[in-house]
Amino acid sequence: MALIRKRRLTEQQQRRIQKQQKTRQEDLDTSSDLEGLVVQHYGRQLEVQALSTPDIHPEKPVVQDGEPEPFWKEIELGSVWRCHTRTNLDLLVTGDRVKWQADPNTGLGIITAIHPRKSLLTRPDRYHKVKPVAANISLIVIVFAPLPDPAPGLIDRYLVACADADIPALLVMNKADLLKENDPLVKLLQEYQDLGYEVMQTQSDGDLTALSNRLANETVAFVGQSGVGKSTLINAIVPDAAQKTNIISENSALGQHTTTSTRLISFGEGAALIDSPGIREFGLWHLNSDKVQIGFPEIENLLGHCQFRNCTHKHEKQCALRQAAAAGEILPRRLDSYLRLIDEITEAQQKN
Ligand SMILES: Nc1nc2c(ncn2[C@@H]2O[C@H](COP(=O)(O)OP(=O)(O)O)[C@@H](O)[C@H]2O)c(=O)[nH]1
Ligand SMILES: [Mg+2]
Ligand SMILES: [Zn+2]
């Protein structure tokens, strides 16, 4: 594309641009490094959003009368650039904070360095290798609703995955308008609050101030069953979210069209990720068995207090977990979830 564009320029223009590029190359180095956020990646292509602008902006080539206007992309705060990476860099993922350089003449950028990650969401690929999905997620919003009916144990499973990734969770019960009188979901939400989790009730077309305030400055991943209202919530919080998901396919400098529309949607100082491959399956994969207990803090406290060291917590009489459940100290539902997850993992390990 750059070549085709150049051919349309006069020789004089070309010389001038080359000279400008040369001087720019010289002061490129690290002094011209910008801060950026990887908002999308597909294959080796990355999209980086500018989080800073240069102290001294590169100068747009002077156009003389009758000369065609050369391509020029201004380095603006929040602008999104298609980038390549230096080959020596680790695999980058959405959410990575990077150092990069922009070339206004081509509209392309190059990523020169990656900042240390504060968190990394991963998932196993089909060969059981761990694949990075998103970096620096600071909050996971688990959305559920009266409709579709929450799958049993799904919230607990998400909570285990959050604990495993060491990322705080916020439980959002959406579609509050569909709650019936004495709806068991209200009790469910209360139970999680009692366990120490942060919870919230929302209605997509209602007042979402509390939710948006909570999300300010966070990099958020929305998870939850399809149909609970994740996209509707995001669209309500970030009014132009729907457009933002399509920026790239429209402006693609390389003229490529992508079917992937999932990207990190930024709002103020925050950003959100929904429905991306990997996030969609987040929490649905099998976990490491010793990791499960960290998603069940109330059960973790009781482990080691059973009569038998190898207690299965299923039929033993002197089982601290079953006794606690019978005494109403822990929720039988949570114990079931816990045992189901442990069973699942043990089964998966036996297969491998
Ligand atoms: N009654 C009600 N419906 C909602 C609410 N939020 C979303 N919906 C509807 O639920 C359906 C699924 O929403 P969507 O955002 O696509 O869910 P997602 O699959 O989680 O992204 C749509 O028809 C929405 O209009 C809500 O608060 N109340
Ligand atoms: Mg959706
Ligand atoms: Zn036991």
Side-chain angles (χ1 to χ4, degrees):
M1 190 69 180
L3 282 176
I4 297 167
R5 213 180 282 124
K6 268 184 193 160
R7 229 172 280 143
R8 284 200 228 104
L9 304 178
T10 64
E11 275 191 18
Q12 195 196 9
Q13 241 182 341
Q14 280 186 36
R15 272 197 306 273
R16 199 161 57 228
I17 287 173
Q18 270 163 12
K19 196 169 147 231
Q20 279 167 341
Q21 269 174 344
K22 215 168 160 197
T23 28
R24 205 170 296 117
Q25 287 293 335
E26 279 155 17
D27 55 32
L28 256 184
D29 301 321
T30 50
S31 56
S32 60
D33 271 3
L34 302 170
E35 295 296 329
L37 169 67
V38 177
V39 289
Q40 186 158 33
H41 74 122
Y42 19 73
R44 287 176 303 139
Q45 306 267 11
L46 292 146
E47 301 291 347
V48 170
Q49 184 167 39
L51 298 183
S52 74
T53 55
D55 293 338
I56 303 160
H57 276 268
E59 260 175 67
K60 190 174 173 176
V62 183
V63 187
Q64 252 130 53
D65 280 352
E67 286 181 347
E69 184 86 25
F71 180 88
W72 186 260
K73 179 167 172 166
E74 209 62 57
I75 309 173
E76 286 166 347
L77 213 57
S79 57
V80 175
W81 296 63
R82 189 173 286 260
C83 287
H84 299 280
T85 54
R86 288 229 170 115
T87 44
N88 59 342
L89 289 185
D90 279 350
L91 189 66
L92 289 154
V93 290
T94 305
D96 265 323
R97 296 293 180 125
V98 295
K99 287 204 176 287
W100 68 293
Q101 297 176 0
D103 182 358
N105 287 301
T106 58
L108 299 173
I110 179 153
I111 296 170
T112 55
I114 165 176
H115 287 293
R117 290 168 174 157
K118 293 190 191 114
S119 73
L120 183 65
L121 280 190
T122 57
R123 70 179 167 104
D125 63 13
R126 66 190 125 133
Y127 311 107
H128 299 282
K129 280 218 198 86
V130 174
K131 273 187 83 167
V133 172
N136 298 320
I137 299 288
S138 60
L139 180 71
I140 292 173
V141 177
I142 303 170
V143 187
F144 61 104
L147 202 85
D149 224 8
L154 183 62
I155 295 173
D156 295 328
R157 191 180 284 255
Y158 281 133
L159 287 173
V160 170
C162 292
D164 177 42
D166 201 16
I167 300 172
L170 165 66
L171 271 68
V172 168
M173 195 196 63
N174 192 33
K175 307 197 188 183
D177 55 302
L178 297 185
L179 287 173
K180 298 181 295 270
E181 218 177 302
N182 299 321
D183 202 293
L185 272 203
V186 176
K187 189 167 158 254
L188 189 86
L189 195 68
Q190 184 62 51
E191 286 171 357
Y192 283 107
Q193 186 162 31
D194 293 344
L195 286 170
Y197 292 103
E198 194 182 351
V199 305
M200 220 176 258
Q201 246 188 62
T202 58
Q203 179 179 330
S204 296
D205 61 358
D207 181 3
L208 296 173
T209 321
L211 181 61
S212 19
N213 285 347
R214 178 64 187 87
L215 304 189
N217 303 317
E218 304 275 11
T219 302
V220 188
F222 277 76
V223 302
Q225 274 164 280
S226 169
V228 294
K230 299 180 294 295
S231 303
T232 316
L233 276 176
I234 276 288
N235 286 331
I237 294 170
V238 189
D240 53 347
Q243 289 95 292
K244 281 189 176 178
T245 56
N246 289 320
I247 294 171
I248 295 316
S249 14
E250 286 162 21
N251 291 357
S252 165
L254 301 178
Q256 285 175 348
H257 287 274
T258 168
T259 48
T260 328
S261 65
T262 313
R263 53 190 285 122
L264 207 57
I265 301 160
S266 55
F267 50 91
E269 298 287 301
L273 194 66
I274 45 168
D275 290 345
S276 79
I279 296 287
R280 215 178 289 142
E281 303 127 35
F282 172 71
L284 302 174
W285 39 285
H286 56 259
L287 295 139
N288 202 318
S289 68
D290 52 337
K291 295 270 177 70
V292 171
Q293 64 198 57
I294 58 172
F296 293 86
E298 79 278 31
I299 291 174
E300 191 175 27
N301 284 337
L302 298 168
L303 292 173
H305 294 269
C306 303
Q307 182 182 15
F308 303 109
R309 238 171 60 92
N310 60 352
C311 186
T312 64
H313 320 299
K314 283 183 179 157
H315 47 78
E316 292 86 347
K317 283 219 169 61
Q318 300 295 319
C319 167
L321 272 48
R322 295 168 59 78
Q323 283 171 344
E329 288 155 16
I330 63 170
L331 297 165
R333 176 179 67 74
R334 288 271 293 172
L335 181 54
D336 287 348
S337 267
Y338 173 77
L339 294 176
R340 200 172 329 121
L341 282 171
I342 295 280
D343 275 353
E344 208 176 283
I345 286 157
T346 318
E347 234 167 76
Q349 278 168 347
Q350 279 161 358
K351 257 189 240 156
N352 287 338

